[in-house]
Amino acid sequence: MPSLKELKGRINSVKSTQKITKAKQMVAAAKLRRAQQRAEEARPYQERLASVMASLSSKVSGDSAPKLMAGTGSNQRHMLVVVNTDKGLCGGLNANIVKRAKAKAAELLGEGKQVEFYLVGKKGRAPIKRDHADKIAHHYDTSEVRQPGFEEAEAIAADLIERFEAGQYDVAHLVYPIFKSALSQDPTVDQLIPVPSPEGASAGEAMVEYEPGEEEILEELLPRYVRTQLFGALLEREASEQGASMTAMDNATRNAGELIKDLNIEYNRSRQAAITTELIEIIAGAEAL
């Protein structure tokens, strides 16, 4: 049985931990509002851009479509762009993203495809490297940026497009979390390159005339579309990270409170037992006299 001093030390230690988790919970809650707002504000632009892409793609034939939309003519080599967080203490968020990426990789490998990973963020590197050390093509570090934004999305998009133009892969998939609430962040996989033709596009629905021409406009819009998708993924990642962190720290704070309660009960029992033992010894000594 631990001594009273040891129990008191454990209680103080858990109380200190509880203060830290409570503080981190409050910080995450404050950051979550802004991160959620940024993610939600970016979604309408992405949807509107997708509708413009639908209108344009319906007027462009397969032969005249730019390479970013037409592809290389093959789908043998796949690149998985996995967007993880740079910091921990956010529950199972990163584990779920890595699990989704590994499942997609296993699916492609089962079909006889070649798979490589393009890792964004620090926390997904180690678990993916354990199983696919020879398949990691590149790491993009966002840990030195306080708040990753469009500049980082542009850099990632430029690198991915350059690799695509150089023939290093045929298809790129974006693996990232979609923020729904502080309790729910769903990892998803979307095709990034070649840019998929949006569903529901048809020539009869495209009522807009474009100048100078659909092909020229697509040449400009396709890289922007890739950048926008990556920017949206980074925003969703930030909101998901803060939501998961707030939930994890709230659970840790409550667990610490329950542990403190149990330790206090054990401390009081041990203290009462020590007092009772001393009284018995005093009474026994007095009777002996």
Side-chain angles (χ1 to χ4, degrees):
M1 179 180 292
S3 65
L4 291 176
K5 184 178 180 180
E6 291 174 346
L7 287 172
K8 196 65 175 179
R10 289 181 62 185
I11 292 171
N12 291 333
S13 177
V14 175
K15 283 182 177 180
S16 299
T17 302
Q18 186 183 41
K19 290 178 181 178
I20 295 172
T21 57
K22 182 64 176 178
K24 290 187 68 67
Q25 176 194 351
M26 295 175 66
V27 170
K31 290 183 177 180
L32 173 61
R33 297 177 185 176
R34 179 56 182 162
Q36 180 179 356
Q37 181 181 0
R38 293 182 71 209
E40 291 175 347
E41 287 176 350
R43 290 172 186 170
Y45 178 81
Q46 290 177 279
E47 294 171 359
R48 182 58 180 165
L49 182 58
S51 66
V52 173
M53 297 288 293
S55 177
L56 286 167
S57 63
S58 66
K59 291 188 173 185
V60 177
S61 62
D63 296 335
S64 60
K67 185 178 179 181
L68 267 179
M69 179 171 281
T72 62
S74 173
N75 68 340
Q76 182 63 27
R77 297 166 299 173
H78 292 252
M79 181 78 76
L80 297 183
V81 184
V82 186
V83 181
N84 278 98
T85 69
D86 291 306
K87 300 175 183 176
L89 300 178
C90 49
L93 175 62
N94 289 300
N96 292 334
I97 297 172
V98 170
K99 182 179 179 181
R100 187 70 180 88
K102 287 183 177 180
K104 182 64 177 178
E107 176 187 340
L108 292 171
L109 291 171
E111 297 173 359
K113 311 295 184 182
Q114 299 176 19
V115 176
E116 287 187 322
F117 292 89
Y118 190 104
L119 304 181
V120 180
K122 294 173 61 177
K123 289 301 176 180
R125 295 181 186 177
I128 291 179
K129 190 175 181 179
R130 280 196 295 268
D131 297 334
H132 303 284
D134 58 332
K135 296 181 176 63
I136 298 177
H138 184 69
H139 297 134
Y140 187 89
D141 191 7
T142 56
S143 61
E144 297 180 359
V145 183
R146 183 175 182 181
Q147 193 173 53
F150 198 74
E151 182 178 348
E152 287 70 36
E154 281 186 312
I156 298 171
D159 188 20
L160 287 171
I161 292 174
E162 182 180 351
R163 292 170 182 267
F164 178 70
E165 296 289 347
Q168 296 184 19
Y169 63 90
D170 300 316
V171 183
H173 304 274
L174 184 60
V175 186
Y176 67 102
I178 294 180
F179 175 81
K180 292 186 175 181
S181 69
L183 297 174
S184 176
Q185 307 88 28
D186 293 342
T188 186
V189 180
D190 292 333
Q191 182 173 315
L192 184 64
I193 299 173
V195 176
S197 298
E199 297 180 0
S202 66
E205 295 176 354
M207 303 301 294
V208 180
E209 293 294 332
Y210 295 96
E211 292 292 343
E214 288 80 6
E215 293 84 359
E216 291 82 354
I217 297 175
L218 274 175
E219 288 284 357
E220 294 293 329
L221 277 187
L222 286 171
R224 178 179 291 272
Y225 181 83
V226 175
R227 293 194 294 267
T228 300
Q229 291 298 106
L230 287 164
F231 179 53
L234 289 176
L235 294 180
E236 296 285 349
R237 181 195 78 167
E238 292 301 306
S240 298
E241 178 183 359
Q242 300 305 330
S245 179
M246 185 184 74
T247 302
M249 291 301 100
D250 179 56
N251 291 334
T253 301
R254 287 190 284 105
N255 290 338
E258 293 176 1
L259 181 56
I260 291 171
K261 181 179 178 181
D262 293 340
L263 288 173
N264 277 325
I265 292 174
E266 185 177 355
Y267 176 82
N268 290 333
R269 286 175 177 171
S270 298
R271 182 170 174 272
Q272 188 63 47
I275 293 173
T276 302
T277 301
E278 290 179 2
L279 288 175
I280 292 173
E281 290 175 352
I282 292 171
I283 294 172
E287 290 179 351
L289 293 175

